[in-house]
């Protein structure tokens, strides 16, 4: 599959999509979230983390850079690299340690970590529209491709 394009009408649809994404990832992999300020990256992350079973608050890690979640056997890390000045800062925080044992890693503003971050399984580009959000899902390998196939099937069933 070359990718998937979706239109989500509102915040509830974005959170629900995050829940479906949690289901298909099984709490493993690397996802890059791209889009301008206010596009919905953190809303999508909230839906995904809650979809993994987290019941507490899901806050944006804009100032802390990373917010860890331990959900049963699943480890998830939500990164927001917006305030990163240099990708090398990730090396100083021990970024490679976060990838041990194949947790789920979500990266907002991944371009700020260029050259240091590994290749993602999936890149999701979010664009605000007049009446919702447009999402372009671009798989970067077999895992991301399988996720897109599963999501396409789910949304096809929902449509009709």
């Amino acid at each position: 599959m070359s990718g998937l394009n979706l239109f989500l009408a509102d915040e509830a649809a974005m959170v629900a999509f995050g829940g479906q994404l949690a289901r298909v990832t099984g709490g493993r992999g690397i996802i890059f979230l791209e889009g301008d300020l206010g596009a919905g990256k953190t809303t999508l992350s909230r839906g995904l983390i809650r979809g993994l079973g987290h019941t507490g608050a899901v806050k944006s890690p804009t100032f802390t850079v990373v917010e860890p979640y331990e959900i049963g056997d699943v480890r998830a890390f939500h990164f927001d690299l917006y305030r990163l000045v240099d990708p090398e800062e990730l090396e100083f925080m021990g970024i490679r340690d976060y990838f041990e044992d194949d947790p789920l890693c979500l990266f907002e503003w991944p371009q700020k970590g260029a050259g240091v971050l590994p290749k993602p399984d999936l890149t999701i580009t979010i664009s605000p529209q007049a009446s919702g959000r447009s999402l372009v899902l671009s798989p970067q390998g077999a895992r991301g491709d399988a996720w897109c196939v599963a999501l396409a099937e789910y949304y096809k069933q929902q449509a009709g």
Side-chain angles (χ1 to χ4, degrees):
M1 173 172 253
S2 61
L4 180 63
N5 295 322
L6 296 172
F7 178 79
L8 303 176
D10 54 24
E11 183 175 340
M14 184 73 85
V15 171
F17 169 75
Q20 285 304 313
L21 187 56
R23 182 182 59 77
V24 301
T25 66
R28 305 251 183 258
I30 298 172
I31 300 173
F32 286 2
L33 302 174
E34 299 180 343
D36 293 335
L37 283 171
K41 298 179 296 293
T42 301
T43 300
L44 172 54
S45 297
R46 184 180 319 114
L48 198 158
I49 292 165
R50 286 189 180 150
L52 293 171
H54 180 72
T55 56
V58 177
K59 56 187 175 186
S60 174
T62 301
F63 294 101
T64 59
V65 180
V66 62
E67 193 67 39
Y69 297 90
E70 300 282 335
I71 310 158
D73 293 337
V74 173
R75 289 181 321 126
F77 299 101
H78 179 196
F79 295 86
D80 185 332
L81 307 184
Y82 182 74
R83 297 194 181 280
L84 215 63
V85 175
D86 186 315
E88 288 299 312
E89 291 177 59
L90 294 171
E91 294 290 0
F92 295 124
M93 68 179 271
I95 190 70
R96 296 183 200 294
D97 295 340
Y98 287 96
F99 303 120
E100 290 180 13
D101 300 323
D102 196 25
L104 180 68
C105 293
L106 304 170
F107 286 93
E108 296 186 33
W109 304 98
Q111 66 274 22
K112 299 263 191 165
V116 175
L117 295 179
K119 180 179 159 186
D121 295 301
L122 181 67
T123 298
I124 301 174
T125 305
I126 306 169
S127 302
Q129 303 296 313
S131 61
R133 300 287 188 264
S134 172
L135 277 66
V136 176
L137 284 69
S138 304
Q140 307 295 316
R143 183 186 270 183
D145 197 51
W147 296 345
C148 285
V149 168
L151 289 164
E153 182 61 30
Y154 171 80
Y155 281 97
K156 182 179 173 185
Q157 288 176 358
Q158 295 301 306

